[in-house]
């Protein structure tokens, strides 16, 4: 599972990279209100679909079962 889609569900910045973060912030500020709202809806939907609590618990249980004989 990826953390999202750059430019669709949010912006992906470089780790510990303040210039990258600033550039992402500038991109966000330059977006229209409608585009920011659409990105928010897309991000929310992506998180609900891919990081649902029950899904994450199932992934952990399946992984643990793989180690138990």
């Amino acid at each position: 599972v990826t953390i999202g889609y750059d430019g669709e569900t949010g912006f992906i910045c470089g780790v510990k990279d303040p210039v990258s973060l600033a550039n992402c912030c500038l991109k966000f500020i330059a977006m229209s209100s409608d585009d920011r709202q659409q990105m928010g809806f897309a991000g929310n939907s992506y998180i609900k679909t891919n990081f649902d609590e029950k899904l994450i618990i199932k992934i952990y249980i399946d992984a643990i079962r793989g180690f138990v004989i």
Side-chain angles (χ1 to χ4, degrees):
V1 174
T2 61
I3 60 169
Y5 298 102
D6 196 33
E8 182 181 331
T9 58
F11 292 111
I12 299 174
C13 306
V15 176
K16 295 185 178 182
D17 184 348
V19 173
S20 176
L21 176 60
N23 287 332
C24 288
C25 290
L26 291 172
K27 283 190 231 179
F28 186 77
I29 291 167
M31 294 171 68
S32 72
S33 178
D34 288 342
D35 287 343
R36 286 193 300 267
Q37 185 175 32
Q38 182 59 37
M39 181 180 278
F41 289 141
N44 184 281
S45 175
Y46 183 82
I47 294 300
K48 285 181 178 179
T49 301
N50 294 284
F51 295 96
D52 174 73
E53 182 180 8
K54 290 178 183 176
L55 174 65
I56 299 301
I57 290 170
K58 181 185 179 319
I59 291 169
Y60 275 104
I61 289 172
D62 290 347
I64 291 168
R65 284 188 180 141
F67 291 108
V68 177
I69 295 176

